[in-house]
Amino acid sequence: MSYFTTALRHGNIARAAAELNIAASAVATAIDQVEAEFDLTLVTRQRARGIQANASGIKVARKCERLLEDYHALLAEGADLKQSLNGTLRIGYYAPIAPAFLPSIFDACLPPGADVILELEECDNDAAQDGLIAGTYDAILFVTEDVRPAVRYDTLITARPYCLLPEAHPLARQSAVSMAQIASESLVVLNRPVTGPYYERLFQPHGRQAPIVAYATSTEMVRSLVAEGRGCAILNMRPMTHECYTGARVVERPISETLPPLTLAVGYDKAAPRRIVQAFVEACQDHFSKTGAGQCILE
Protein backbone atom coordinates (compact mmCIF):
# COMPACT_ATOMS: atom_id res chain seq x y z
CA MET A 1 0.00 0.00 0.00
CA SER A 2 2.87 2.37 0.79
CA TYR A 3 4.54 1.72 -2.59
CA PHE A 4 1.20 2.05 -4.39
CA THR A 5 0.20 5.37 -2.82
CA THR A 6 3.70 6.84 -3.19
CA ALA A 7 3.74 5.96 -6.90
CA LEU A 8 0.34 7.58 -7.44
CA ARG A 9 1.39 10.67 -5.51
CA HIS A 10 4.42 11.12 -7.78
CA GLY A 11 2.68 9.86 -10.90
CA ASN A 12 5.96 8.20 -11.71
CA ILE A 13 7.38 4.81 -10.70
CA ALA A 14 11.02 5.88 -10.91
CA ARG A 15 10.53 8.93 -8.66
CA ALA A 16 8.57 6.81 -6.16
CA ALA A 17 11.38 4.25 -6.13
CA ALA A 18 13.92 7.00 -5.47
CA GLU A 19 11.91 8.31 -2.50
CA LEU A 20 11.42 4.85 -1.08
CA ASN A 21 15.04 3.88 -1.79
CA ILE A 22 14.04 0.66 -3.53
CA ALA A 23 14.17 -0.68 -7.07
CA ALA A 24 11.62 0.61 -9.58
CA SER A 25 10.65 -2.98 -10.30
CA ALA A 26 9.52 -3.39 -6.66
CA VAL A 27 7.16 -0.39 -7.03
CA ALA A 28 5.78 -1.76 -10.28
CA THR A 29 5.25 -5.18 -8.67
CA ALA A 30 3.43 -3.57 -5.72
CA ILE A 31 1.02 -1.82 -8.09
CA ASP A 32 0.37 -5.12 -9.84
CA GLN A 33 -0.27 -6.82 -6.48
CA VAL A 34 -2.81 -4.18 -5.38
CA GLU A 35 -4.63 -4.48 -8.71
CA ALA A 36 -4.63 -8.27 -8.45
CA GLU A 37 -5.97 -8.15 -4.90
CA PHE A 38 -8.98 -6.07 -5.97
CA ASP A 39 -9.18 -7.67 -9.43
CA LEU A 40 -9.41 -4.18 -10.90
CA THR A 41 -7.36 -1.97 -13.17
CA LEU A 42 -6.46 0.98 -10.96
CA VAL A 43 -3.61 2.65 -12.83
CA THR A 44 -3.12 3.79 -16.42
CA ARG A 45 0.50 3.33 -17.48
CA GLN A 46 1.81 5.73 -20.10
CA ARG A 47 5.38 5.13 -21.20
CA ALA A 48 6.33 8.75 -21.67
CA ARG A 49 4.01 10.37 -19.14
CA GLY A 50 4.31 8.01 -16.17
CA ILE A 51 1.25 6.59 -14.40
CA GLN A 52 -2.15 7.96 -13.51
CA ALA A 53 -4.87 6.56 -11.26
CA ASN A 54 -8.34 6.05 -12.71
CA ALA A 55 -11.48 6.69 -10.64
CA SER A 56 -11.24 3.32 -8.90
CA GLY A 57 -7.53 3.83 -8.31
CA ILE A 58 -8.13 7.21 -6.67
CA LYS A 59 -10.76 5.70 -4.36
CA VAL A 60 -8.50 2.77 -3.40
CA ALA A 61 -5.50 5.08 -2.88
CA ARG A 62 -7.47 7.29 -0.48
CA LYS A 63 -8.55 4.29 1.58
CA CYS A 64 -4.96 3.00 1.59
CA GLU A 65 -3.72 6.38 2.81
CA ARG A 66 -6.18 6.33 5.73
CA LEU A 67 -5.15 2.79 6.63
CA LEU A 68 -1.48 3.77 6.48
CA GLU A 69 -2.15 6.80 8.68
CA ASP A 70 -3.87 4.56 11.23
CA TYR A 71 -1.00 2.09 11.01
CA HIS A 72 1.66 4.73 11.66
CA ALA A 73 -0.44 6.24 14.46
CA LEU A 74 -0.69 2.81 16.06
CA LEU A 75 3.08 2.37 15.87
CA ALA A 76 3.60 5.80 17.42
CA GLU A 77 1.13 5.07 20.22
CA GLY A 78 2.78 1.71 20.84
CA ALA A 79 6.19 3.36 21.07
CA ASP A 80 4.78 6.00 23.40
CA LEU A 81 3.17 3.32 25.57
CA LYS A 82 6.50 1.52 25.73
CA GLN A 83 8.57 4.60 26.56
CA SER A 84 6.19 6.95 28.35
CA LEU A 85 5.80 7.44 32.09
CA ASN A 86 2.14 8.23 31.49
CA GLY A 87 -0.90 5.97 31.42
CA THR A 88 -2.30 3.42 33.84
CA LEU A 89 -0.11 1.36 36.16
CA ARG A 90 -1.93 -1.70 37.52
CA ILE A 91 -0.39 -3.29 40.61
CA GLY A 92 -1.64 -6.39 42.39
CA TYR A 93 -0.13 -6.97 45.79
CA TYR A 94 -0.03 -9.65 48.42
CA ALA A 95 1.99 -7.71 50.94
CA PRO A 96 0.25 -7.22 54.28
CA ILE A 97 2.04 -3.93 54.96
CA ALA A 98 2.19 -2.62 51.38
CA PRO A 99 0.55 0.70 52.41
CA ALA A 100 3.66 1.34 54.52
CA PHE A 101 6.02 1.44 51.55
CA LEU A 102 4.12 1.63 48.24
CA PRO A 103 3.36 5.39 48.41
CA SER A 104 7.05 6.26 48.84
CA ILE A 105 7.98 3.92 45.98
CA PHE A 106 5.52 5.72 43.70
CA ASP A 107 6.98 9.06 44.81
CA ALA A 108 10.40 7.80 43.71
CA CYS A 109 9.42 6.48 40.27
CA LEU A 110 6.74 8.94 39.12
CA PRO A 111 7.86 12.49 38.37
CA PRO A 112 5.75 15.42 39.62
CA GLY A 113 2.86 16.06 37.28
CA ALA A 114 3.07 12.65 35.61
CA ASP A 115 -0.23 11.75 33.96
CA VAL A 116 -0.49 8.36 35.68
CA ILE A 117 -3.50 6.56 37.10
CA LEU A 118 -2.65 3.96 39.75
CA GLU A 119 -4.89 0.91 40.00
CA LEU A 120 -3.92 -0.94 43.19
CA GLU A 121 -5.58 -4.17 44.23
CA GLU A 122 -4.89 -6.17 47.37
CA CYS A 123 -5.23 -9.89 46.70
CA ASP A 124 -3.93 -13.24 47.87
CA ASN A 125 -0.67 -14.68 46.60
CA ASP A 126 -2.27 -16.99 44.03
CA ALA A 127 -4.58 -14.31 42.64
CA ALA A 128 -1.65 -11.92 42.27
CA GLN A 129 0.29 -14.42 40.17
CA ASP A 130 -2.74 -15.41 38.12
CA GLY A 131 -3.48 -11.74 37.47
CA LEU A 132 0.05 -11.10 36.22
CA ILE A 133 -0.10 -14.08 33.86
CA ALA A 134 -3.54 -13.02 32.57
CA GLY A 135 -2.43 -9.42 32.00
CA THR A 136 -4.71 -7.97 34.68
CA TYR A 137 -1.68 -6.49 36.46
CA ASP A 138 1.44 -4.81 35.06
CA ALA A 139 3.41 -5.88 38.13
CA ILE A 140 2.78 -7.70 41.38
CA LEU A 141 4.23 -7.77 44.87
CA PHE A 142 4.00 -11.29 46.22
CA VAL A 143 5.65 -13.93 48.38
CA THR A 144 7.77 -16.52 46.57
CA GLU A 145 5.93 -19.53 47.97
CA ASP A 146 4.66 -21.89 45.23
CA VAL A 147 5.67 -19.57 42.38
CA ARG A 148 3.93 -20.23 39.07
CA PRO A 149 6.43 -21.39 36.38
CA ALA A 150 5.33 -18.55 34.07
CA VAL A 151 5.98 -15.81 36.65
CA ARG A 152 9.30 -13.98 36.36
CA TYR A 153 10.34 -11.92 39.35
CA ASP A 154 13.09 -10.10 41.23
CA THR A 155 13.61 -10.72 44.94
CA LEU A 156 13.19 -7.59 47.06
CA ILE A 157 13.57 -8.62 50.70
CA THR A 158 13.87 -11.71 52.88
CA ALA A 159 11.92 -11.31 56.11
CA ARG A 160 12.48 -13.50 59.15
CA PRO A 161 9.50 -14.07 61.45
CA TYR A 162 9.23 -12.06 64.66
CA CYS A 163 6.90 -12.12 67.66
CA LEU A 164 4.31 -9.38 68.11
CA LEU A 165 3.30 -8.67 71.71
CA PRO A 166 1.14 -6.25 73.69
CA GLU A 167 3.25 -3.43 75.09
CA ALA A 168 2.61 -4.55 78.69
CA HIS A 169 3.23 -8.27 78.10
CA PRO A 170 5.97 -9.84 80.27
CA LEU A 171 7.76 -11.21 77.18
CA ALA A 172 8.02 -7.65 75.83
CA ARG A 173 10.66 -6.98 78.50
CA GLN A 174 12.97 -9.58 76.93
CA SER A 175 15.36 -8.78 74.09
CA ALA A 176 14.22 -11.93 72.24
CA VAL A 177 11.68 -14.72 72.72
CA SER A 178 11.83 -18.40 71.94
CA MET A 179 9.37 -20.53 70.00
CA ALA A 180 8.76 -22.52 73.17
CA GLN A 181 7.63 -19.35 74.92
CA ILE A 182 5.43 -18.33 71.99
CA ALA A 183 3.95 -21.84 71.86
CA SER A 184 2.62 -21.42 75.39
CA GLU A 185 0.82 -18.13 74.59
CA SER A 186 -2.61 -17.58 73.11
CA LEU A 187 -2.16 -16.88 69.42
CA VAL A 188 -3.70 -14.45 66.96
CA VAL A 189 -3.12 -15.80 63.46
CA LEU A 190 -2.93 -13.95 60.15
CA ASN A 191 -5.24 -16.18 58.15
CA ARG A 192 -4.07 -15.94 54.54
CA PRO A 193 -3.40 -18.81 52.08
CA VAL A 194 0.39 -18.55 52.33
CA THR A 195 0.67 -17.99 56.07
CA GLY A 196 -1.32 -20.99 57.28
CA PRO A 197 1.09 -23.69 56.07
CA TYR A 198 4.02 -21.42 56.93
CA TYR A 199 2.98 -21.11 60.59
CA GLU A 200 2.51 -24.87 60.81
CA ARG A 201 6.11 -25.35 59.68
CA LEU A 202 7.34 -22.88 62.29
CA PHE A 203 5.59 -24.64 65.17
CA GLN A 204 6.15 -28.22 64.02
CA PRO A 205 9.47 -28.81 65.83
CA HIS A 206 8.31 -27.04 69.01
CA GLY A 207 4.69 -28.04 69.43
CA ARG A 208 1.93 -25.64 70.37
CA GLN A 209 0.05 -25.92 73.65
CA ALA A 210 -1.98 -22.72 73.74
CA PRO A 211 -5.08 -22.24 71.59
CA ILE A 212 -5.52 -20.00 68.61
CA VAL A 213 -7.88 -17.34 69.93
CA ALA A 214 -8.45 -15.38 66.71
CA TYR A 215 -8.00 -15.60 62.96
CA ALA A 216 -7.78 -12.34 61.00
CA THR A 217 -7.28 -11.72 57.30
CA SER A 218 -5.52 -8.35 57.67
CA THR A 219 -2.29 -7.46 59.40
CA GLU A 220 -3.83 -4.41 61.05
CA MET A 221 -6.58 -6.51 62.62
CA VAL A 222 -3.93 -8.90 63.97
CA ARG A 223 -1.98 -5.95 65.39
CA SER A 224 -5.07 -4.40 66.97
CA LEU A 225 -6.12 -7.67 68.62
CA VAL A 226 -2.60 -8.18 69.98
CA ALA A 227 -2.41 -4.59 71.22
CA GLU A 228 -5.61 -5.10 73.22
CA GLY A 229 -4.15 -8.20 74.92
CA ARG A 230 -6.07 -10.87 73.01
CA GLY A 231 -2.87 -12.85 72.41
CA CYS A 232 0.50 -12.68 70.65
CA ALA A 233 1.25 -13.23 66.96
CA ILE A 234 3.99 -14.13 64.53
CA LEU A 235 4.52 -11.82 61.56
CA ASN A 236 7.31 -11.22 59.06
CA MET A 237 7.06 -7.59 58.02
CA ARG A 238 6.16 -4.57 60.09
CA PRO A 239 4.70 -1.12 59.39
CA MET A 240 6.35 2.16 60.33
CA THR A 241 4.49 2.64 63.61
CA HIS A 242 3.98 0.79 66.89
CA GLU A 243 0.48 2.20 67.28
CA CYS A 244 -2.62 0.37 66.03
CA TYR A 245 -5.96 1.70 64.85
CA THR A 246 -7.20 1.47 68.44
CA GLY A 247 -4.43 3.76 69.69
CA ALA A 248 -2.87 0.96 71.75
CA ARG A 249 0.72 -0.03 71.08
CA VAL A 250 2.49 -3.28 70.19
CA VAL A 251 6.08 -4.44 70.60
CA GLU A 252 8.09 -6.53 68.15
CA ARG A 253 10.69 -8.96 69.45
CA PRO A 254 13.03 -11.18 67.45
CA ILE A 255 12.71 -14.94 67.79
CA SER A 256 15.83 -16.60 69.15
CA GLU A 257 15.72 -19.65 66.87
CA THR A 258 16.76 -19.53 63.22
CA LEU A 259 13.50 -19.97 61.32
CA PRO A 260 12.64 -20.04 57.61
CA PRO A 261 11.87 -16.56 56.27
CA LEU A 262 9.35 -15.35 53.73
CA THR A 263 10.64 -13.65 50.59
CA LEU A 264 8.91 -10.63 49.06
CA ALA A 265 9.38 -10.22 45.31
CA VAL A 266 8.19 -8.06 42.43
CA GLY A 267 6.86 -9.97 39.44
CA TYR A 268 6.57 -8.45 35.95
CA ASP A 269 7.07 -9.14 32.26
CA LYS A 270 10.85 -9.15 31.99
CA ALA A 271 10.88 -9.66 28.22
CA ALA A 272 9.44 -6.29 27.22
CA PRO A 273 8.34 -4.17 30.18
CA ARG A 274 6.81 -0.76 29.59
CA ARG A 275 8.98 2.11 30.75
CA ILE A 276 6.63 2.92 33.64
CA VAL A 277 6.72 -0.73 34.79
CA GLN A 278 10.52 -0.81 34.62
CA ALA A 279 10.65 2.44 36.61
CA PHE A 280 8.36 0.93 39.26
CA VAL A 281 10.50 -2.22 39.51
CA GLU A 282 13.70 -0.21 39.84
CA ALA A 283 12.11 1.98 42.53
CA CYS A 284 11.09 -1.17 44.47
CA GLN A 285 14.62 -2.54 44.23
CA ASP A 286 16.13 0.77 45.29
CA HIS A 287 13.75 1.14 48.23
CA PHE A 288 14.44 -2.29 49.70
CA SER A 289 18.18 -2.13 49.07
CA LYS A 290 18.35 1.01 51.21
CA THR A 291 16.20 2.24 54.08
CA GLY A 292 13.14 0.12 53.27
CA ALA A 293 14.76 -3.10 54.42
CA GLY A 294 15.56 -1.85 57.91
CA GLN A 295 12.13 -0.32 58.31
CA CYS A 296 10.10 -3.37 57.26
CA ILE A 297 11.97 -6.24 58.87
CA LEU A 298 13.23 -7.01 62.33
CA GLU A 299 16.79 -8.32 62.45
Side-chain angles (χ1 to χ4, degrees), residues 216-238:
T217 58
S218 73
T219 299
E220 191 52 45
M221 181 58 75
V222 169
R223 286 167 50 82
S224 293
L225 289 170
V226 170
E228 295 299 327
R230 184 62 56 182
C232 67
I234 294 178
L235 296 174
N236 293 77
M237 299 183 69
R238 59 181 182 173

Side-chain angles (χ1 to χ4, degrees), residues 171-187:
L171 291 178
R173 294 193 288 271
Q174 300 181 187
S175 60
V177 298
S178 68
M179 285 299 296
Q181 289 174 314
I182 297 171
S184 64
E185 296 290 329
S186 299
L187 295 175

Side-chain angles (χ1 to χ4, degrees), residues 21 35 37 60 76 81 94-95 104 124 128 161-162 196 233 236 249 257 283:
N21 196 29
E35 290 183 317
E37 185 67 29
V60 169
L81 184 65
Y94 172 68
S104 59
D124 64 49
Y162 65 86
N236 293 77
R249 294 172 62 87
E257 291 89 350

Side-chain angles (χ1 to χ4, degrees), residues 16 44 86 105 122 126 169 179 234 249 267:
T44 300
N86 297 331
I105 287 175
E122 184 175 352
D126 290 337
H169 196 284
M179 285 299 296
I234 294 178
R249 294 172 62 87

